[in-house]
Each structure stands twice: as C-alpha cells, then as structure tokens.
Amino acid sequence: MAELETIINTRRSIREYEDREVEDEKILKILKAGMQAPGSRLGAEPWEFIVVKDKETLAKMGEIKPRVTNAPVAIVIVANIERAFYKAVWQQDCSAAAENMLLEAVELGLGGLWNGVAPIEERMDAIGEIVKIPKEHKAFCIITLGYPAEGWENKYMDKFDESRIHYETY
C-alpha cells in the first residue's frame, strides 16, 4: 500500500484553495523543481517563470482561464524559444517543467492545477499582454498553487488501465 502513497500517485488537479498565502520559500522550491526538469538539451532549456500574487493580475488572467482568479499564487511558464536548442519541441520542455512543479507542490503540502494556455495563440497573446511577456516569447501555461480547500486534498485515485498497454506491437 505504501507504493500507492507516493507523490506521483497522490497528485490531483486542485481547483479550490484555502484563503491562505503560500510561503515564498515553497514557491522558490517549486521553481527550482521546474528547472530540474529534463529538456531537449542541457543548458538550452527554454523555460522562464513569472510568479503572480497580485489579486488584480490574477483576476485579469482569470478572465481567460477562470480557475486562476481565486488562487493565492500563479506561475506563468514562459517559453524563450530562442534559448531552445530544438525550436520545435519547446512545448515538451515546458511540459516537463510544469509536471515537476506540480509534483513538488504535493511534496510541500500544496495543491496545484495546470491551466493550459498554448497552443491557442489568442490565449497565449492575451496572457502575454497581461504579464508583459516580450513578443518573441510565448506563454505556455499557468500553474495555480495553494493549500487545498476542504474536499480537494491530494489523494490516490486508481487510473491504471491495463487495456492501454501493448507489447512489441499495437
């Protein structure tokens, strides 16, 4: 049973948070976890991060991605595509950073939610305008973070489906 209680098995998408500030130390640990993600090439990872706590800014982003509005903190993952070694796979690199961040949030007793922005250009541009992302960069997603509200805790849910596993050929 202990195997099922690992961070990766208990992480859930947390959509409601307590009205409680997330400590800067925890945010920094989450950012460091994001930067530990594998990328297409060492030293050429395209990710950058914008930490947003301002309620007005969160509300503006919430007009595009509603779940952002009531989060205590949001982190916009930004792709600096010029830094990417393989320009065509920046979304995969940023995805790895996002997942690391979500897993670290659980480790720290927090909940998180991946709010997709890319690849819809209108959303990418709108979020970029709100948080002043340079035009040559791209908003990828918004990770909301906070202490899970009652009934929204991280817990194991069995999603295993053996019928989706194939060996040697489909």
Side-chain angles (χ1 to χ4, degrees):
M1 187 60 127
E3 169 186 326
L4 302 179
E5 296 174 8
T6 62
I7 297 304
I8 201 162
N9 283 321
T10 56
R11 193 211 67 77
R12 299 273 66 84
S13 293
I14 305 299
R15 293 175 170 84
E16 292 184 26
Y17 305 101
E18 292 179 0
D19 185 18
R20 179 175 163 194
E21 187 176 329
V22 175
E23 300 86 346
D24 289 338
E25 300 80 25
K26 289 186 177 185
I27 295 169
L28 185 59
K29 286 180 179 182
I30 290 166
L31 292 166
K32 286 180 177 183
M35 292 183 196
Q36 286 299 115
S40 310
R41 183 171 181 133
L42 183 62
E45 297 89 356
W47 51 70
E48 295 189 22
F49 307 95
I50 301 172
V51 178
V52 180
K53 292 183 178 182
D54 180 76
K55 294 294 181 194
E56 286 182 35
T57 305
L58 291 168
K60 285 180 189 173
M61 289 193 301
E63 292 173 14
I64 299 151
K65 297 300 297 181
R67 297 283 185 187
V68 175
T69 302
N70 296 316
V73 64
I75 300 174
V76 181
I77 298 181
V78 178
N80 179 339
I81 298 168
E82 287 304 309
R83 184 181 305 132
F85 185 76
Y86 297 108
K87 308 297 186 225
V89 297
W90 63 269
Q91 289 188 13
Q92 288 90 328
D93 290 346
C94 289
S95 294
E99 183 66 11
N100 272 20
M101 294 166 73
L102 290 165
L103 292 172
E104 182 68 9
V106 176
E107 178 71 21
L108 298 171
L110 300 170
L113 179 67
W114 181 318
N115 296 268
V117 176
I120 300 170
E121 292 289 337
E122 296 82 26
R123 287 194 307 210
M124 295 165 70
D125 292 343
I127 295 297
E129 189 173 308
I130 292 167
V131 293
K132 301 180 180 12
I133 296 172
K135 292 288 184 206
E136 62 275 9
H137 296 2
K138 305 268 185 199
F140 173 66
C141 72
I142 304 166
I143 303 293
T144 54
L145 299 165
Y147 288 92
E150 187 174 333
W152 283 94
E153 52 278 328
N154 288 298
K155 62 183 176 187
Y156 177 72
M157 292 173 50
D158 189 358
K159 296 170 76 175
F160 182 76
D161 181 354
E162 193 169 359
S163 71
R164 294 181 180 212
I165 301 170
H166 310 278
Y167 295 93
E168 309 305 336
T169 63
Y170 194 90

